[in-house]
Amino acid sequence: MFSRQHIVAAARGDERMDTVIRGVNLVNVFTAETYPADIGIKKDRFSAIARYENNKPTFYMEGDNEVDAQGKYAIPGFIDCHVHIESTMVTPDMFARAVLRHGTTVAVIDPHEIGNVMGAEGVSYMINASKGLPVRILTTIPSCVPAVPGVETTGAEFGPEDIAALLDNPDVVGIAELMDYVGVIKQNPRMAGIVQKGLDFGVRNEGHLPRVTGRDLHAYLAAGVNSDHESRTVEEIVEKLRAGMLIYIRESSVSQFADIAAKAWEILPHASNIAMCTDDVEPNDMLKNGQMNRVVRRCIEEGIPAPLAIRYASLNGAMRYGLHDRGAIASGYVADFSLVDSLETMQINDVYVQGEQMVKDGRIITDITTRTPPLRKNTVRLPELNEKDFIIHSPVENGTITLNTMEMTPIGTTKIGSLEIQVTDGEIRHLPEEYVFATVTGRHGQNRKPFVGVLKNSGIRSGAYATTVAHDSHNLVVAGKNARDMLMAAKQLQKSGGGLCLVEDGNVMAQVDLPIAGLMAAEPIEELSPKVEKFNEVAQSMGVKVGRRSPSMALSSLTLTVIPEIRISDLGLVDVNTQQLIPLFREE
């Protein structure tokens, strides 16, 4: 049984501290202020804090290990309220190594990427592989496997009872982002049942609510879901904060919203219902720009005071998940903290977990591995494919026909468009310059030929781009200008077990192998990152440029059937708002 006897004795001054951090600038997230202090640590806890007055600590603490931290700032360990490990493309132990260097000591994960590929087996793997790591990894059970039934097919299906069975696992704190917000608002049986399971188990129901306001917002809240990381305008954030929804400020490789969140904060500077998350950060982006520390840095750059930004990234996340002894540097709290030279740059130098130093001068100084071996099953199971599967077969033999198309917008959403095009011998093999063929092939054993649609504004000028990282169904997406290169790219990923591939003129130009569920590789981010960087460079040379996204994620959300307004799945084009399939060919 855990005993605080020695921690209390050290606080009284009857025992020496194990470690004393001397003369540091303490960021107090309770009062949103910064002041010099000595920090005493005993066992795995903060034992006492001595604030400085007249350049001296109010009381003196002796320690077996003393750290001179004058000029540095002490900040609590960051808590990432919503992150997909799979988006970092590495396994949980490699993820922990990477995020710890950036000051994250708690991460709340949503393994719905692997859940859509491998079902309960994949979710259980992520839970087991996350045990015993220095970063405490809490799990939310995927709610959208698939995201929207009936308009896509995946490797598994979770109903209320499937989710309930997984909620009994250790360190499970909630039901993950309820992306089928239409189903929640309309109370369809599946989604209403899933939300009720979260309420019955007393865990958090996590939200996903882009562009929803007014009565629908209140219906979503009334259903029992009260957080969101998808707010995209100042007005939307303000309305949701006023309604009592917890807003996660997100800065990912795909979407960055610190600027609008800061503007909302200016309107509501006393709002307490704000936390932070990263959601999806690809490996090379994390290596260069950080993880949770990047979210904090961006918020400070946009005008949110540093102590408040740090509070949003630590204490508020701890309160969200009932971590009553984490998220602050205070007596009795778990001694998870970082030392930084500057709050503006938020460059993490040293990281302590439960009082033990694990990062020194930006380098990991402890072994971080999982006892759970990586999954080795090849999950890219495709039908027999040929070049004709990557062209459009028209209902008319010759003449012109009008197609419904997808058009990418600068912020990564999509809108419906149209294209009038010539048909020859019942086939459409060539498209105007700004268009590409966009295909989705079920890779979970559906044994169905690709659905072929048309995408505008992808930037692709030649060749083909293929990926098995295609949220959230993670079927095989191939986009390109010609069927030959598209077929080759598909076959490359079938052989490798998944990942990313670029083909031009019959040559593989770049490839990133992700053999674990077609989503991850069992290697350090430092090794994977250069491969992704090369992929991005080649993709850009081929014209790929979609909004503010990284090229390696440019097509990852084309299949995300819960982001407005039109998406593509292995079954066809999807109207996100109505959750109905749209015909490829327009009726004149």
Side-chain angles (χ1 to χ4, degrees):
M1 184 177 178
F2 174 72
S3 172
R4 293 178 182 258
Q5 180 178 353
H6 295 288
I7 300 167
V8 175
R12 290 196 309 261
D14 295 338
E15 292 186 20
R16 293 169 64 89
M17 296 290 178
D18 293 335
T19 301
V20 176
I21 311 294
R22 294 212 181 276
V24 74
N25 294 305
L26 170 67
V27 176
N28 188 321
V29 293
F30 296 111
T31 58
E33 59 181 332
T34 302
Y35 48 77
D38 288 348
I39 300 172
I41 299 167
K42 188 71 174 180
K43 303 294 184 182
D44 63 344
R45 305 264 164 171
F46 298 113
S47 178
I49 313 294
R51 187 177 185 273
Y52 276 44
E53 292 183 2
N54 300 318
N55 297 319
K56 293 182 179 180
T58 50
F59 53 87
Y60 186 78
M61 297 178 286
E62 293 184 343
D64 296 335
N65 173 42
E66 298 196 359
V67 178
D68 182 0
Q70 290 193 42
K72 296 182 182 294
Y73 294 83
I75 61 177
F78 295 135
I79 297 174
D80 191 337
C81 287
H82 174 71
V83 60
H84 304 283
I85 289 181
E86 302 97 314
S87 292
T88 66
M89 304 181 190
V90 295
T91 48
D93 53 344
M94 296 297 103
F95 168 83
R97 281 179 54 87
V99 302
L100 192 61
R101 288 180 56 227
H102 300 296
T104 297
T105 56
V106 177
V108 182
I109 69 168
D110 173 7
H112 73 204
E113 320 297 0
I114 197 170
N116 272 284
V117 178
M118 302 184 70
E121 178 186 1
V123 173
S124 296
Y125 162 74
M126 297 297 283
I127 293 172
N128 292 329
S130 298
K131 293 177 180 176
L133 300 173
V135 174
R136 186 176 181 189
I137 296 179
L138 307 175
T139 303
T140 52
I141 301 303
S143 66
C144 293
V145 180
V148 184
V151 299
E152 59 187 333
T153 57
T154 60
E157 289 190 13
F158 285 179
E161 297 307 321
D162 303 296
I163 289 172
L166 290 165
L167 286 172
D168 281 329
N169 279 285
D171 280 339
V172 169
V173 294
I175 294 179
E177 52 183 334
L178 288 132
M179 297 188 298
D180 184 3
Y181 58 87
V182 176
V184 174
I185 292 167
K186 293 185 176 180
Q187 289 288 278
N188 74 39
R190 175 176 177 258
M191 294 314 299
I194 289 172
V195 172
Q196 190 59 48
K197 288 298 181 185
L199 298 174
D200 293 343
F201 276 77
V203 298
R204 297 297 188 184
N205 283 318
E206 290 297 312
H208 176 109
L209 198 65
R211 294 184 176 180
V212 177
T213 60
R215 300 194 73 151
D216 282 347
L217 165 61
H218 291 277
Y220 195 75
L221 286 162
V225 192
N226 65 348
S227 69
D228 182 52
H229 59 273
E230 288 287 344
S231 300
R232 295 165 186 266
T233 67
V234 174
E235 295 76 16
E236 185 180 352
I237 292 177
V238 167
E239 181 178 356
K240 288 175 177 176
L241 288 172
R242 285 173 171 159
M245 179 167 272
L246 181 63
I247 294 297
Y248 299 153
I249 302 174
R250 176 178 66 179
E251 286 278 309
S252 73
S253 296
V254 179
S255 302
Q256 298 87 32
F257 297 130
D259 52 346
I260 64 169
K263 290 182 176 65
W265 170 81
E266 289 177 359
I267 298 170
L268 301 173
H270 303 295
S272 61
N273 45 331
I274 302 174
M276 288 185 180
C277 75
T278 60
D279 202 359
D280 301 289
V281 180
E282 65 169 19
N284 57 318
D285 190 10
M286 186 187 299
L287 200 61
K288 287 182 177 180
N289 301 309
Q291 202 247 355
M292 278 292 288
N293 59 326
R294 77 201 265 138
V295 192
V296 175
R297 181 176 63 246
R298 284 288 300 117
C299 287
I300 295 171
E301 289 172 351
E302 294 293 340
I304 296 177
L308 267 184
I310 294 167
R311 176 197 288 175
Y312 300 154
S314 54
L315 183 63
N316 286 11
M319 293 171 63
R320 169 67 175 173
Y321 293 105
L323 305 175
H324 303 298
D325 57 359
R326 292 179 187 257
I329 299 174
S331 301
Y333 278 61
V334 174
D336 292 352
F337 67 102
S338 299
L339 298 178
V340 301
D341 289 331
S342 164
L343 296 183
E344 284 69 35
T345 63
M346 204 50 62
Q347 182 68 39
I348 306 296
N349 299 319
D350 306 291
V351 181
Y352 293 74
V353 175
Q354 297 183 36
E356 179 184 349
Q357 187 169 13
M358 295 198 171
V359 176
K360 183 176 182 179
D361 297 327
R363 300 191 311 274
I364 296 285
I365 59 173
T366 187
D367 181 49
I368 300 177
T369 55
T370 179
R371 294 188 178 92
T372 303
L375 299 168
R376 295 298 183 188
K377 182 189 300 183
N378 189 333
T379 59
V380 183
R381 296 177 290 144
L382 303 178
E384 191 67 34
L385 297 172
N386 58 63
E387 287 188 22
K388 282 187 172 289
D389 295 324
F390 294 91
I391 63 174
I392 294 176
H393 300 274
S394 169
V396 301
E397 193 69 14
N398 293 286
T400 60
I401 198 166
T402 302
L403 304 175
N404 283 315
T405 65
M406 296 180 294
E407 296 186 7
M408 299 298 296
T409 70
I411 62 171
T413 56
T414 49
K415 62 181 181 179
I416 191 168
S418 64
L419 174 65
E420 187 177 281
I421 195 162
Q422 187 70 32
V423 179
T424 303
D425 297 329
E427 297 177 347
I428 301 172
R429 288 180 169 269
H430 305 286
L431 297 171
E433 182 179 351
E434 65 269 35
Y435 293 88
V436 296
F437 294 102
T439 70
V440 183
T441 311
R443 70 168 175 103
H444 311 301
Q446 295 100 317
N447 198 31
R448 186 186 303 114
K449 293 287 190 175
F451 173 79
V452 185
V454 174
L455 175 67
K456 186 178 182 181
N457 299 334
S458 72
I460 299 173
R461 295 188 299 265
S462 62
Y465 178 135
T467 179
T468 55
V469 181
H471 304 289
D472 281 312
S473 56
H474 295 290
N475 286 307
L476 172 66
V477 171
V478 185
K481 298 296 289 186
N482 68 85
R484 177 192 174 204
D485 287 343
M486 294 172 74
L487 174 63
M488 184 177 181
K491 287 187 174 295
Q492 283 293 121
L493 294 188
Q494 182 179 26
K495 181 180 178 181
S496 69
L500 312 168
C501 184
L502 292 165
V503 174
E504 190 170 34
D505 296 327
N507 298 306
V508 176
M509 306 301 292
Q511 186 167 336
V512 179
D513 293 338
L514 303 173
I516 301 173
L519 302 170
M520 297 175 286
E523 56 188 273
I525 274 184
E526 293 84 355
E527 294 179 14
L528 184 62
S529 176
K531 301 173 187 176
V532 177
E533 190 68 31
K534 179 187 176 183
F535 181 93
N536 286 343
E537 291 172 359
V538 174
Q540 287 173 330
S541 73
M542 293 170 63
V544 177
K545 186 178 181 182
V546 180
R548 294 190 286 181
R549 300 177 182 207
S550 161
S552 65
M553 288 191 172
L555 302 184
S556 65
S557 64
L558 275 185
T559 51
L560 189 51
T561 55
V562 291
I563 296 293
E565 65 185 17
I566 180 174
R567 298 284 151 161
I568 187 172
S569 78
D570 59 317
L571 299 181
L573 296 176
V574 180
D575 183 324
V576 173
N577 294 322
T578 65
Q579 296 186 335
Q580 300 292 319
L581 293 172
I582 304 169
L584 175 61
F585 303 101
R586 285 197 176 183
E587 294 183 9
E588 299 301 334

